[in-house]
Amino acid sequence: MNFFRGVMGGQAAGPQPSGAETKYRMEVGTQAMDHLINILQTDRSDSEIIGYALDTLYNIICSDEEEEQDENTQKQVDDLGAQFTDHFIQDPEHLTLLLTLLEEFDFHVRWPGVKLLTALLKNQGPQVQGVILVSPMGVSRLMDLLADSREVIRNDGLLLLQQLTKSNAAIQKIVAFENAFERLLDIITEEGSSDGGIVVEDCLLLLLNLLKNNSSNQNFFKEGSYIQRMKPWFEVGDDNSGWSAQKVTNLHLMLQLVRVMVSPVNSPGATASCQKSMYQCGLLQQLCTILMATGVPADILTETINTVSEVIRGSQVNQDYFASVNAPSNPPRPAIVVLLMSMVNERQPFVLRCAVLYCFQCFLYKNQKGQGEIVATLLPSTIDANSISAGQLLCGGLFSADSLSNWCAAVALAHALQDNLTQKEQLLRVQLATSLGKPPVSLLQQCTNILSQGSKVQTRVGLLMLLCTWISNCPIAVTHFLHNQENVPFLTAQISENLGEDERLVQGLCALLLGICIYYNDNSLENYTKEKLKQLIEKRIGKENFVEKLGFITKHELYSRAAQKPQPIFPSPEQMLFDHEFTKLVKELEGMITKAVHKSSEEEKKEEEVKKTLEQHDNIVTQYKELIREQDAQIQELKEQLSSMTSQNEQMQATMTQQLSQIQQHKDQYNILKLKLGKENQNQGEGSQVNGMQTEELTQLREDVEELRKQNALLQTQLDDKDALINKLRSEASQTAEGSAGGSDGAQLLEELEALRSQLQSQSAELNQVKMERQELLRRAEAGSSNPENDGSMDGAKMAELESRLTTQLTEMERLKAEAKSSTESRAELEQQLASSTSTVAILQTEKAKLETAVQESKKEQDDLLILLSDQDQKIFSLKQRLKDLGESVEDEDDLDAKDDDEEEEDDDEEED
């Protein structure tokens, strides 16, 4: 009976079922599952019985037993749950029904429904995900669980969404676009961020599901400015002792979230964008603070180092910032130096030393500036005896008694030379003082000395990887290496011997190093030219044996593991043999070295000739490129000069126009002053004047009068022509005025022509009067030239009046000319209208009918437009009213008109004042 209550009522109090009672799970599930599903379909109105049915189905499908079971029993339980799950989801309608029940707010329905669906997803995730994905609003219904005010449902909803989003990118995208990031970050903040409980952990696990290997969601997370909201997670105080296990778990997951956004497997553009955002919002600075803080748990410190590594990897700005970080010590030391001290310290945890190596590698990745700074600490001119530098730590680790320190230091130094020819050549200058009384030895020679001493495999592998990286693609370094007479015999001896399994990797690396000496040999040493080295291989080793030994590298079981990811992850220190970047170098060089060894001297010569030809061709191309660049620069410079000269020309044109205007103004002012001066001199009666006028002015007046005479004669001729034309038009218009559509126009034109004729006659008479008065004035002026006592003041005034009238008459004459021209054009049009009057009437009637139709259509369109305008006015009025209700100031058009009128009145008042 207790078992029945436990199955049918999950919330019933009492002891948990015993192991014997749970064995009835198969019988209950086999016989009752179909009936329970039928209850869900038929008894929707009874929430209590629905809750019991959901609880029972959950207990059948999922076993919550906590007691320990042997492996076989647990497998049987899991198989039983999978069988019942298959039976339940066999009909997709059952899942659709369950999703519908989750919309019920009743606690006794919603909570068991959430647990049942979670169990189904655990047992048969892909099948259940497929049904939910095609169900209308299926994911949206489940997202509503995060907004439930009851924490138990919200928390179980988090577990449900974790199962739902596993390995399903489509569902992950839907959940993300259902505002999941906002809700989850809010819950994390409400629960206390890193100090929160298990709910924070569940939220972080769900965020990891949504973002890991999902570029779309990662971009959505970055574009939504959610990276900035991660910064407060990593705020730590001065006292970091006594962290709870839950806080450690939470921070570990938070650091993983940061790494997901900047993982090296993401697209370079997306990673760079996230790295930039993390620097700008201060997240990188916050992580570096944790890095240098005291009391931080070791696993959190290790994960923080790995996180900082990927935040700075390949980002110049972030790498520069990391180089500037100092540890809070006295005196302050660079963070890089402090980390390297941990890497070469054999007492530090293995995972921490691996993390520091990864951080150093990421700091130098595509960072030639950083590489130069590290190598510079090894050069004699920059060594400071009073402080510990990165170079000193690397050299110390390279030659220490700890093989792991040897390997880590060798790999770190190799990354300082990666793809950087300058630093490879600079490192050749490094000299080491091995012991008192002995001359210093070069770093290159010391590495080969340690190799020949037969140290541990891990140490020799590290040194060989360093040497291969160092002399690769650097002929000068190859020459330095070959200059030591003991190096080549040592390599050939190592390759040719038949050693044990552990030594095969060393043999392969020795073959690679010797092959690099052949491929990048510039033949500057007579005893070790390319050809002589190949002959040596053929005699001492054998070409086929050499190639076979070279292939030992890529066939090693740890090679493929290191080639997968940049981060050095090894189960134990002994398995720490290969570096990720070195695997790329091996892949690049293996084929080229194999071909170089098998090539004959003739083929070498041909290749050298082809290489020289290509180099010459490249030089020619380079010269042409330089020439083109110079010409482009010259063209660009000429364009700039042209643009500048064009601008100057425009400025000069504007200046010239302004100056011409000023000159004209000065001329006008000069003429005015001249007239004023003439009037003043007139009263003084100087001998050079005749009745107030100078001789030049009289000459000009005579010429003007003569011109007016010609114009008058021309106008008189035009008037006669117009009279004849008017008489002709009058007779024609009287004949066609009654029957033509243009009769009224002709009559109107005759009236206009008659008025024009009257005006011309009046103007002509007035012009004759002016001419007579001017002639009289000239006569008097000539007569007065012999009688200086004549009173000229009245004649001068008369002359001015006549000049004014003359100007007015000339202006009027020009206007009359224009009107006469217009009348001529009107006459031509009238003649055409009269000639086609009969056809015009018919055309006009047709056009009238068309116009009437068009008028009706236009009237209809106008009515429609008025209706639309009325609706628009109503909408505008309602929108203005809403703006007023929201407290916004709105001015009506009437108010604006009134305001404009007030401003105009104020302007008028100011003008009057």
Side-chain angles (χ1 to χ4, degrees):
M1 193 64 184
N2 289 334
F3 170 72
F4 182 74
R5 277 198 293 267
V7 172
M8 295 298 292
Q11 291 77 32
Q16 294 295 321
S18 65
E21 289 175 325
T22 57
K23 291 181 180 181
Y24 292 100
R25 179 182 172 203
M26 177 177 288
E27 287 77 4
V28 174
T30 304
Q31 299 179 26
M33 177 171 279
D34 291 335
H35 298 290
L36 292 171
I37 295 174
N38 186 54
I39 290 173
L40 298 180
Q41 295 171 337
T42 57
D43 292 336
R44 292 284 301 277
S45 59
D46 191 340
S47 60
E48 185 176 5
I49 191 65
I50 291 293
Y52 286 143
L54 290 171
D55 263 329
T56 307
L57 286 169
Y58 170 71
N59 288 324
I60 291 172
I61 289 174
C62 178
S63 175
D64 283 341
E65 299 174 16
E66 296 181 359
E67 62 265 16
E68 295 182 1
Q69 297 179 351
D70 58 36
E71 185 177 350
N72 293 332
T73 304
Q74 184 63 41
K75 185 177 180 182
Q76 292 175 1
V77 170
D78 293 340
D79 291 343
L80 189 61
Q83 291 174 13
F84 287 136
T85 301
D86 289 337
H87 182 72
F88 184 87
I89 67 174
Q90 192 172 8
D91 187 355
E93 291 298 325
H94 296 165
L95 279 175
T96 304
L97 174 62
L98 183 56
L99 291 173
T100 305
L101 291 173
L102 288 178
E103 293 182 343
E104 295 289 340
F105 188 74
D106 192 319
F107 181 82
H108 296 290
V109 176
R110 200 171 207 186
W111 187 38
V114 170
K115 294 195 297 180
L116 174 59
L117 186 55
T118 305
L120 294 172
L121 283 165
K122 284 182 179 178
N123 292 334
Q124 298 291 351
Q127 292 86 339
V128 179
Q129 286 173 335
V131 175
I132 294 175
L133 190 60
V134 299
S135 176
M137 300 297 292
V139 178
S140 299
R141 293 172 181 173
L142 301 181
M143 284 298 299
D144 291 340
L145 298 174
L146 296 183
D148 199 303
S149 58
R150 295 159 295 192
E151 290 190 1
V152 64
I153 294 181
R154 183 200 67 182
N155 297 343
D156 282 350
L158 286 170
L159 300 176
L160 169 60
L161 289 172
Q162 284 181 29
Q163 297 295 328
L164 178 66
T165 54
K166 280 184 178 179
S167 305
N168 193 308
I171 292 180
Q172 290 168 3
K173 292 178 183 179
I174 297 173
V175 171
F177 282 98
E178 287 283 347
N179 207 24
F181 294 140
E182 186 75 29
R183 294 186 187 182
L184 292 173
L185 293 173
D186 287 343
I187 294 173
I188 291 173
T189 304
E190 292 168 4
E191 295 291 328
S193 294
S194 60
D195 293 321
I198 189 68
V199 176
V200 173
E201 180 182 348
D202 291 336
C203 290
L204 293 171
L205 288 171
L206 179 53
L207 283 172
L208 280 171
N209 280 357
L210 295 175
L211 292 173
K212 197 170 185 178
N213 299 324
N214 194 316
S215 58
S216 175
N217 282 2
Q218 290 173 10
N219 183 64
F220 182 60
F221 191 85
K222 179 185 69 69
E223 295 296 334
S225 301
Y226 295 119
I227 289 178
Q228 290 83 331
R229 295 188 60 178
M230 299 168 74
K231 179 188 174 184
W233 295 351
F234 305 103
E235 294 177 357
V236 296
D238 297 331
D239 184 14
N240 295 307
S241 60
W243 283 22
S244 66
Q246 186 62 58
K247 182 172 183 177
V248 172
T249 301
N250 291 344
L251 263 175
H252 192 79
L253 292 172
M254 290 171 175
L255 291 168
Q256 285 188 25
L257 271 175
V258 177
R259 293 187 65 183
V260 163
M261 299 299 296
V262 292
S263 173
V265 301
N266 296 344
S267 66
T271 298
S273 179
C274 291
Q275 289 172 331
K276 181 179 178 181
S277 297
M278 290 177 183
Y279 174 76
Q280 292 176 342
C281 74
L283 178 57
L284 174 60
Q285 295 85 328
Q286 199 68 51
L287 293 173
C288 290
T289 302
I290 298 177
L291 207 64
M292 296 292 105
T294 56
V296 177
D299 52 348
I300 292 298
L301 180 60
T302 301
E303 188 63 19
T304 303
I305 295 173
N306 288 326
T307 304
V308 170
S309 304
E310 295 183 351
V311 173
I312 68 173
R313 187 177 189 268
S315 172
Q316 188 66 56
V317 175
N318 294 5
Q319 289 167 337
D320 291 344
Y321 171 77
F322 182 71
S324 68
V325 175
N326 289 324
S329 58
N330 190 17
R333 288 177 176 172
I336 297 174
V337 172
V338 175
L339 291 174
L340 287 177
M341 292 172 68
S342 299
M343 185 186 75
V344 298
N345 187 350
E346 57 183 308
R347 290 174 295 182
Q348 292 291 342
F350 172 63
V351 290
L352 177 63
R353 299 174 72 180
C354 291
V356 173
L357 176 60
Y358 184 44
C359 186
F360 192 74
Q361 292 172 345
C362 292
F363 169 66
L364 297 179
Y365 182 71
K366 294 184 178 180
N367 182 10
Q368 293 194 352
K369 177 183 176 183
Q371 290 174 323
E373 292 172 352
I374 296 299
V375 173
T377 60
L378 286 164
L379 300 179
S381 59
T382 58
I383 293 178
D384 186 1
N386 297 323
S387 63
I388 300 176
S389 66
Q392 291 172 342
L393 289 170
L394 291 175
C395 280
L398 194 63
F399 307 121
S400 72
D402 178 31
S403 62
L404 183 59
S405 296
N406 302 154
W407 191 92
C408 290
V411 170
L413 196 54
H415 277 260
L417 307 175
Q418 197 77 37
D419 299 325
N420 196 325
L421 180 60
T422 302
Q423 302 312 320
K424 290 178 181 180
E425 295 175 355
Q426 287 290 327
L427 200 63
L428 295 172
R429 298 169 48 200
V430 177
Q431 300 289 321
L432 301 175
T434 56
S435 61
L436 293 175
K438 292 185 178 181
V441 180
S442 68
L443 177 61
L444 183 68
Q445 182 60 46
Q446 184 65 13
C447 291
T448 57
N449 291 342
I450 296 176
L451 274 176
S452 61
Q453 292 172 4
S455 53
K456 292 182 180 180
V457 172
Q458 190 175 41
T459 300
R460 284 182 288 161
V461 169
L463 290 172
L464 285 168
M465 287 195 298
L466 171 60
L467 290 173
C468 289
T469 304
W470 189 348
I471 71 173
S472 174
N473 199 25
C474 184
I476 297 176
V478 171
T479 302
H480 277 253
F481 180 80
L482 295 176
H483 194 269
N484 186 349
Q485 301 295 327
E486 298 176 357
N487 288 341
V488 173
F490 168 75
L491 292 178
T492 54
Q494 287 287 316
I495 300 169
S496 60
E497 289 182 5
N498 293 321
L499 302 174
E501 187 72 21
D502 295 339
E503 297 291 332
R504 295 182 67 181
L505 178 58
V506 175
Q507 286 184 304
L509 291 172
C510 289
L512 179 66
L513 184 59
L514 184 58
I516 292 173
C517 292
I518 295 173
Y519 190 80
Y520 291 105
N521 196 328
D522 60 359
N523 296 324
S524 58
L525 293 177
E526 184 179 355
N527 294 333
Y528 293 111
T529 61
K530 284 185 178 182
E531 188 60 31
K532 289 185 177 181
L533 287 176
K534 287 194 293 184
Q535 291 175 1
L536 183 64
I537 289 174
E538 188 173 3
K539 292 178 181 179
R540 297 283 181 89
I541 305 171
K543 292 183 179 181
E544 298 300 329
N545 189 27
F546 177 84
V547 173
E548 182 184 1
K549 297 293 178 69
L550 182 63
F552 286 167
I553 302 174
T554 55
K555 293 177 182 178
H556 199 280
E557 58 180 354
L558 297 177
Y559 175 87
S560 57
R561 179 182 296 181
Q564 291 175 0
K565 292 182 180 180
Q567 182 180 359
I569 302 177
F570 303 95
S572 62
E574 296 77 18
Q575 295 183 341
M576 202 168 185
L577 292 178
F578 283 105
D579 172 59
H580 176 76
E581 291 297 325
F582 181 73
T583 60
K584 295 181 181 178
L585 181 65
V586 173
K587 186 177 181 181
E588 177 185 350
L589 291 177
E590 184 179 12
M592 295 189 298
I593 291 174
T594 302
K595 290 181 181 179
V597 169
H598 284 291
K599 285 177 184 174
S600 62
S601 58
E602 295 180 357
E603 291 175 340
E604 286 283 349
K605 291 179 180 179
K606 289 181 180 179
E607 283 197 358
E608 288 294 331
E609 293 176 358
V610 171
K611 188 175 181 180
K612 289 180 180 179
T613 304
L614 291 175
E615 289 178 354
Q616 292 176 356
H617 179 267
D618 291 340
N619 291 334
I620 295 173
V621 171
T622 303
Q623 292 176 1
Y624 275 114
K625 286 182 178 179
E626 292 296 330
L627 178 61
I628 292 171
R629 288 193 188 98
E630 293 177 1
Q631 292 177 346
D632 287 342
Q634 293 175 357
I635 292 171
Q636 185 64 29
E637 184 179 356
L638 291 173
K639 286 182 178 179
E640 292 176 357
Q641 292 179 0
L642 177 61
S643 177
S644 176
M645 293 177 66
T646 303
S647 177
Q648 292 177 2
N649 184 38
E650 292 176 353
Q651 293 178 357
M652 292 175 65
Q653 291 288 348
T655 304
M656 185 183 297
T657 302
Q658 184 179 4
Q659 290 177 351
L660 289 174
S661 176
Q662 292 176 354
I663 291 171
Q664 186 62 40
Q665 291 177 1
H666 290 323
K667 284 184 178 180
D668 295 340
Q669 293 174 0
Y670 171 75
N671 291 331
I672 292 172
L673 291 174
K674 185 177 178 183
L675 289 174
K676 288 182 180 180
L677 183 61
K679 290 181 180 179
E680 291 175 357
N681 293 336
Q682 178 184 6
N683 296 329
Q684 296 177 2
E686 293 180 3
S688 61
Q689 291 180 331
V690 180
N691 290 337
M693 293 185 294
Q694 295 185 4
T695 307
E696 291 84 354
E697 293 176 344
L698 288 173
T699 304
Q700 183 64 38
L701 286 173
R702 289 191 183 97
E703 293 176 356
D704 292 342
V705 170
E706 184 63 29
E707 181 66 24
L708 288 173
R709 286 175 182 170
K710 295 179 180 179
Q711 291 180 359
N712 186 39
L714 180 61
L715 287 173
Q716 190 64 41
T717 305
Q718 291 178 353
L719 283 174
D720 294 338
D721 295 339
K722 297 300 180 186
D723 288 341
L725 177 61
I726 288 169
N727 292 329
K728 182 179 179 181
L729 289 174
R730 184 181 296 164
S731 60
E732 292 177 353
S734 61
Q735 295 174 2
T736 59
E738 295 180 356
S740 67
S744 59
D745 294 337
Q748 184 178 359
L749 181 61
L750 287 175
E751 292 176 0
E752 291 176 356
L753 290 173
E754 189 64 31
L756 180 61
R757 182 173 180 276
S758 300
Q759 290 179 5
L760 288 172
Q761 290 176 351
S762 174
Q763 293 294 333
S764 178
E766 190 172 356
L767 185 62
N768 289 331
Q769 180 65 27
V770 171
K771 182 175 70 173
M772 292 174 62
E773 289 178 356
R774 188 162 186 171
Q775 288 177 351
E776 179 63 22
L777 183 61
L778 288 173
R779 184 186 61 75
R780 290 175 59 188
E782 291 173 355
S785 62
S786 60
N787 187 10
E789 296 180 357
N790 287 344
D791 186 10
S793 60
M794 183 177 297
D795 292 339
K798 186 69 173 178
M799 177 62 71
E801 180 182 358
L802 287 174
E803 288 292 336
S804 176
R805 291 174 61 188
L806 180 62
T807 302
T808 304
Q809 293 299 322
L810 289 173
T811 302
E812 188 66 16
M813 289 294 291
E814 292 296 328
R815 186 181 67 81
L816 291 173
K817 286 180 180 179
E819 290 181 359
K821 182 179 179 181
S822 176
S823 299
T824 303
E825 294 174 355
S826 299
R827 173 184 174 275
E829 292 177 0
L830 183 60
E831 288 178 348
Q832 293 178 358
Q833 291 177 0
L834 292 175
S836 59
S837 59
T838 304
S839 60
T840 301
V841 173
I843 293 172
L844 288 175
Q845 289 177 351
T846 304
E847 290 295 329
K848 178 181 178 182
K850 292 181 179 179
L851 288 173
E852 288 177 351
T853 304
V855 167
Q856 293 297 327
E857 293 177 355
S858 177
K859 183 177 180 182
K860 185 176 180 302
E861 291 177 358
Q862 186 176 13
D863 292 340
D864 294 340
L865 183 60
L866 288 172
I867 294 172
L868 290 175
L869 288 174
S870 176
D871 294 341
Q872 189 69 21
D873 290 340
Q874 185 63 32
K875 289 180 181 178
I876 292 171
F877 177 77
S878 62
L879 290 173
K880 288 181 178 179
Q881 190 62 37
R882 286 178 63 186
L883 288 173
K884 290 178 179 179
D885 294 341
L886 292 173
E888 299 288 339
S889 59
V890 180
E891 293 183 350
D892 296 335
E893 294 181 358
D894 296 338
D895 297 337
L896 294 174
D897 294 340
K899 184 177 179 181
D900 294 339
D901 295 338
D902 294 340
E903 292 177 355
E904 290 178 0
E905 290 178 1
E906 291 176 0
D907 294 339
D908 294 339
D909 294 340
E910 291 177 358
E911 290 177 1
E912 291 176 1
D913 294 340

